[in-house]
Structures are given as structure tokens and as C-alpha cells.
Amino acid sequence: MSRFPLSRRSVLTGLAGTAALAGLSPAAMSQTKAKLVVIGGGFGGATAAKYLKQLMPGASVTLIEPKSTYYACPFSNLVIGGGRELSAQAFGYDGLKALGIEIVQQAADAVDADARTVTLADGASLSWDRLVMSPGIDFRWGALEGYDEGAVDAMPHAWKAGQQTTLLRRQLEEMEDGGLVVMSAPAAPFRCPPGPYERASLIANYLKTQKPKSKLLVLDAKDSFSKQSLFEEAWAARYPDHLEWRGASDFGRVVAVNPETMTLSTEFDEIEATVANVIPPQQAGRIAHAAGVADQTGWCPINGLTFESTLVPGIHVLGDATIAAPMPKSAFSANLQAKVCAAQITRLLAGQDPEATVLANTCYSYVADDAAVSITGVYTNDDGKLMSVDGAGGVSPLAAAPSVREAEAAQALAWFRTITSEAFG
Amino acid sequence: MSALKTRQLMAAALLGAAASLSACNPANGTDDAGMDGLKQAEQVSVPDRTSMLAMSCSGCHSEAGQAIVSLEGYSREELMTALMRYHDEADGTTVMHRLMRGYSEADMASISVYLAGDKPL
């Protein structure tokens, strides 16, 4: 066995090798001709396709993703703040192709769980023995009055990275000094719980350094949020004149927006923004609803052991679309869920029961260009239920030396390189 | 440089700059509770659970030369010493301290064996 176990190949070699010791037949695993289809080429889907193919080289693995370039959301707040270019967020699928994964560059239109098929946008049909869906999020257009698909140019969400990310940055750059930037943050659950507050930090940092007479007002549908004490500490120290946060009980919840007048309404007042960033209410991506794996909450219930849908057998769901709490909707979670799911599908196809394990999550958030804080969690999945481990996890210390924040900023960058390589490399 | 010295330095890197070298010496660690856990893991094969446990590591740790240390080249004793240290340091606040508090000794031992590239005995 390799002495370099965390290289991609050896982690996988190790998995196959040690599986033999538990009574699995590596031959049976590698010779499976199973047809495995993955919908969605983000952190969850790309990772799942890769691990399925490497665990079962004889299987046919197809990744359905309409876009040729994926723009990663983690670190996209740095692009908005001016400290990073969007090109650093772009990832393609050539690495997966080279592994023997078939990439179908189309949208999945429908799923028939009984016939075990996926219908593509062009009408073609793919059959599958196991389907993995990592559909990400869609917005609940109109759930916030006035915010529909027609509003996103005037009031970008920038909650799916790409053109929206650069649009929001450009609006900040074109704003005259003295302007008011307003962000609307949604109620939970939503993609990337600390994301709005990292973004608020980096926008405030931009205003402080480039547009010092301007200000950011964060209007929040919640009274508490992820890493709150750490963000508030950073805001008080760094951005006292450039960032104001209003929680729900302080009439912070936005109830309507008007992109023509650039106003956001709370239950108390109406605020005119120079630049408005509306992070809208969310739900699982469209195809999850079409496949019947989303419930009345708009999200997808899963078995925490296998990530198989509890609504539709044979379909596994990963990442932001799932109800995996206490695991957050993060790239780290999606990537790890994909690996564990691929391992469990390998076991299932080899006739073995899934096995319980321990999962983790780590999310870094920048509070300035060169300073970051983190949150971690550890989770068990015995009996199919994801549970936080008592006494583990938590956030960076308050009142830490600048060197601690700088070290976490450097770790964040290393994490980004690793996680994107794990998914797309 | 002696092999032992090299291992001590690598384990120190794993633990971070604050760790003392003496605590990283595998020879000093063999009587620790953690080493008992390691022996148990060698006897009880839980490879599939273990493979999935190690998947969490691969979300952050990869090649050398970055702000997050590469895990390549460490022995299971060094890995176990480091993981137990993170697990036990009550006032530790790093990501690894916060994470390892959630792992049992048996799981840390399994991970150490797996990452060292050793086959469970």
C-alpha cells in the first residue's frame, strides 16, 4: 500500500484494499458494470462522479451538467470585495473526463424513478442503476415581494457565483462615494450560513478603503447568525463607521423590494439603496422537485448513512439541496457527503450493508482581506440520522491575536486549493 | 539527521509550532492511553468505517507547502500522538482541536493506521 495515503489515488486504493479485509471482494467491486448517473457538477456532484469512477472503474459513470464552466461560491465574496478575480473561481470538467467519466453537457429535465431514467433537455433518456443528485439551490422567486428573475440585474443576489458576482462588484465600483449599500439576508435555511456576513465584512472593507463616505446596511430576517460573535467583534474593531447590521426584532426583515425605485421595505421603513444585494429565500434545485425527492419544505430529506432519498429509493441526494442539519449547506459538506455516498453505493452494489462513520465540516470566513475565522462540526450518522457530537466543533476564539486570524486566512486559501482539486482536479 | 530526529520534527509540524518536541516522541508515547487505542485498532479491522473517517481529512489536507500540513510520510505513532494531543488539550482552539474532540480514541487510532499506509493487523 502507498506510503502517501492522501494522494487521490492512494486514498482510493486504500479504500479498495481495506475493503477486502472486511470481506468485500475487490474484484466484485471493480468489475461492476453498474450504470451510475450524477446530476449536477458542483462540489457534491463532481466529487461523487469522481469517487464512484475510482471506486468502481468498471462502472459507467455519467455526469449531467449543462454548464461547461463551474464558478465556485467559496471565495467569491473576495471577488465582490475586489481582492480576487472571478477567473480564480472557474473550474471545468476535463479532469473528470480524463478519469473516464462521461460528461453530458445538458440540463436534466425529468427523472422517472420507476423506470430508472433521466430525461435530458433534448429529449434523450439515460438509464441508471443508482442516481446521485447534487442539484444545489434555486431561488423562491416572488417569495420576497418584488424579487423575481427580472430583478436580478438591478438588485443582484450573487448567491450563485459567476456573472452575478462580477455584476455586484461592478455596481460597488461604479457607485459614487457617499452611497448606501443595502444587503438583505434571508431566514434559514439557505446556502452557506456564514456567507452573508463574510460578504458584509468584505464589502465594508472595500468601502472603508475605497469609498470611505459610504456605508453598508445589512437587513436581516434573523436575530442570530453563524459565527455571530466573531463577526460582530471584527465589525466593531474594523468597520464601526461602514457597517450596520439590523436583526429581525429591530425591524431588519425585508418584506418587499422594488428594483425600479431601488427600495427595500421592512415592516418599519422603506430604504433607498444605491447598490442593493438581495439574497433571496431558497430551496432545492428544480430537478429535485421534478424527481420527487424534495418535500413540502422545498428541501430533500435523506438517510444520513447513505444519503439516499427517504422519499425515492435508488436516488441519493447531496449537498445544499439536502436536509442534512446539523451538517451545514457548505462546499466542505457537499464534498464529504459525496465521498461517503460513493463509498456506501460501492458497498451496496457489492451486496454489503452501509456502515456508520463520523463526518466533519470546516468553513472559513474572511473578515478582511487577510483575516479569517472558522467554524467546525463533527457528526455521527448511526441509524441514518446525522447528529452533532457533543463537546466537539465550534468557532475560532474571540479576542484572538491578529496572527490567529491571519493563520486562518492562510488555511482558508489552502483549503480552497484542496477542495477544488478534490472535486474537479 | 537521524531518523528519530526527522520523525520528531515531522510530528512537531503536525502539531503546530506550539507543540513541544518531547511530547511528540513516539518512544515517550507508548504508554499513553492513545497507544492502547492504536493497539486495539490493529487488532480490530474496521476498514470501511475507517476509509470513510479519513475522507474528512482529505477535504483540507493535500500536498505539502501550504498553510495546512500535508499528512504524507508520518508514521501511525506520530499521527496518533498528534491526534490525541489535539483531542486532549482542553484549552486548544485550532480547527483540529475543535474537530478531534468529536472522535473516539478507537477512531483516531484507525485513522492513524490508515493514513500511515499500514494495513490493520
Side-chain angles (χ1 to χ4, degrees):
Chain A
M1 189 176 292
S2 170
R3 300 294 301 178
F4 307 104
L6 275 190
S7 70
R8 179 171 70 239
R9 185 171 56 191
S10 54
V11 164
L12 297 163
T13 311
L15 182 53
T18 51
L21 294 163
L24 293 183
S25 158
M29 289 160 55
S30 61
Q31 285 170 12
T32 180
K33 301 290 186 195
K35 280 188 265 186
L36 307 170
V37 173
V38 180
I39 297 177
F43 283 95
T47 308
K50 180 170 167 177
Y51 271 67
L52 287 168
K53 186 64 185 174
Q54 297 221 21
L55 286 165
M56 294 173 281
S60 140
V61 179
T62 302
L63 176 65
I64 301 173
E65 166 57 51
K67 296 186 292 295
S68 59
T69 300
Y70 178 78
Y71 289 98
C73 279
F75 278 56
S76 66
N77 285 330
L78 288 166
V79 177
I80 292 168
R84 187 176 175 87
E85 295 310 313
L86 187 68
S87 56
Q89 301 296 113
F91 297 89
Y93 300 101
D94 288 347
L96 299 185
K97 265 184 217 162
L99 295 173
I101 295 160
E102 186 180 353
I103 312 291
V104 173
Q105 198 184 325
Q106 280 198 61
D109 196 48
V111 172
D112 185 331
D114 294 325
R116 301 210 159 196
T117 56
V118 178
T119 306
L120 303 173
D122 71 356
S125 179
L126 290 177
S127 64
W128 44 267
D129 297 310
R130 288 265 163 187
L131 177 65
V132 178
M133 303 181 67
S134 195
I137 57 155
D138 270 341
F139 301 118
R140 295 177 189 265
W141 300 119
L144 174 59
E145 187 187 327
Y147 200 75
D148 56 25
E149 286 166 282
V152 303
D153 290 334
M155 296 179 152
H157 53 75
W159 217 242
K160 293 184 180 182
Q163 184 265 341
Q164 278 274 303
T165 309
T166 43
L167 176 62
L168 179 56
R169 171 172 166 171
R170 194 165 69 242
Q171 290 183 354
L172 291 168
E173 287 171 345
E174 290 171 355
M175 181 181 78
E176 284 185 27
D177 195 5
L180 177 65
V181 183
V182 182
M183 173 193 294
S184 170
F190 58 94
R191 160 179 283 175
C192 189
Y197 313 99
E198 176 188 64
R199 176 176 296 179
S201 304
L202 294 170
I203 290 176
N205 188 54
Y206 171 76
L207 299 179
K208 180 184 173 180
T209 52
Q210 306 295 325
K211 307 257 165 83
K213 289 183 280 189
S214 310
K215 186 179 157 182
L216 169 65
L217 172 63
V218 180
L219 298 172
D220 208 324
K222 306 176 292 304
D223 275 323
S224 60
F225 56 85
S226 179
K227 305 179 193 168
Q228 183 165 359
S229 56
L230 288 162
F231 280 117
E232 289 180 340
E233 178 187 68
W235 295 347
R238 295 171 182 271
Y239 315 119
D241 301 325
H242 295 96
L243 199 169
E244 179 187 343
W245 176 81
R246 254 209 235 167
S249 60
D250 198 20
F251 299 103
R253 188 170 73 91
V254 173
V255 295
V257 300
N258 185 334
E260 287 177 19
T261 56
M262 286 297 284
T263 51
L264 299 92
S265 302
T266 70
E267 284 160 336
F268 174 71
D269 54 4
E270 191 175 276
I271 296 157
E272 187 177 338
T274 320
V275 172
N277 171 213
V278 176
I279 304 170
Q282 298 159 29
Q283 60 187 329
R286 190 202 67 83
I287 190 66
H289 302 270
V293 295
D295 69 13
Q296 71 283 356
T297 67
W299 304 98
C300 306
I302 42 91
N303 177 315
L305 202 52
T306 58
F307 295 91
E308 188 167 0
S309 168
T310 58
L311 300 178
V312 185
I315 302 180
H316 300 252
V317 193
L318 307 172
D320 292 349
T322 60
I323 302 170
M327 274 190 104
K329 299 185 188 305
S330 71
F332 189 110
S333 289
N335 174 265
L336 178 57
Q337 289 167 3
K339 293 172 183 172
V340 170
C341 177
Q344 303 284 28
I345 288 175
T346 306
R347 291 184 63 85
L348 291 167
L349 290 174
Q352 302 291 313
D353 290 333
E355 258 203 287
T357 188
V358 179
L359 296 90
N361 177 70
T362 298
C363 290
Y364 295 95
S365 299
Y366 284 83
V367 296
D369 282 350
D370 57 352
V373 294
S374 65
I375 187 166
T376 62
V378 184
Y379 317 97
T380 54
N381 63 355
D382 304 77
D383 305 320
K385 187 167 170 47
L386 286 159
M387 307 254 288
S388 283
V389 177
D390 285 344
V395 298
S396 310
L398 281 167
S403 60
V404 173
R405 304 286 186 252
E406 288 162 17
E408 292 212 315
Q411 288 164 19
L413 191 58
W415 168 81
F416 183 83
R417 290 199 188 111
T418 299
I419 206 83
T420 51
S421 168
E422 282 284 303
F424 305 101
Chain B
M1 190 182 288
S2 74
L4 177 59
K5 181 71 175 169
T6 304
R7 284 204 307 274
Q8 286 176 338
L9 289 173
M10 290 195 304
L14 255 186
L15 287 165
S20 73
L21 275 174
S22 63
C24 310
N25 186 338
N28 293 345
T30 46
D31 293 332
D32 289 348
M35 293 302 128
D36 289 341
L38 200 59
K39 285 171 192 158
Q40 286 168 16
E42 288 169 9
Q43 289 155 13
V44 182
S45 175
V46 284
D48 297 286
R49 176 183 174 88
T50 303
S51 307
M52 288 188 273
L53 288 171
M55 286 171 170
S56 291
C57 314
S58 66
C60 292
H61 295 271
S62 59
E63 74 263 34
Q66 301 198 59
I68 296 174
V69 67
S70 164
L71 298 180
E72 294 181 1
Y74 294 102
S75 71
R76 55 184 157 168
E77 290 84 3
E78 288 160 346
L79 291 161
M80 186 63 179
T81 302
L83 295 181
M84 281 299 288
R85 176 95 176 240
Y86 284 122
H87 180 272
D88 289 346
E89 277 183 350
D91 55 354
T93 58
T94 69
V95 164
M96 281 301 294
H97 286 100
R98 286 176 261 145
L99 288 173
M100 293 326 295
R101 282 180 199 128
Y103 287 78
S104 70
E105 197 178 308
D107 282 343
M108 288 188 286
S110 304
I111 292 169
S112 301
V113 170
Y114 182 84
L115 292 182
D118 296 348
K119 288 181 182 174
L121 299 178

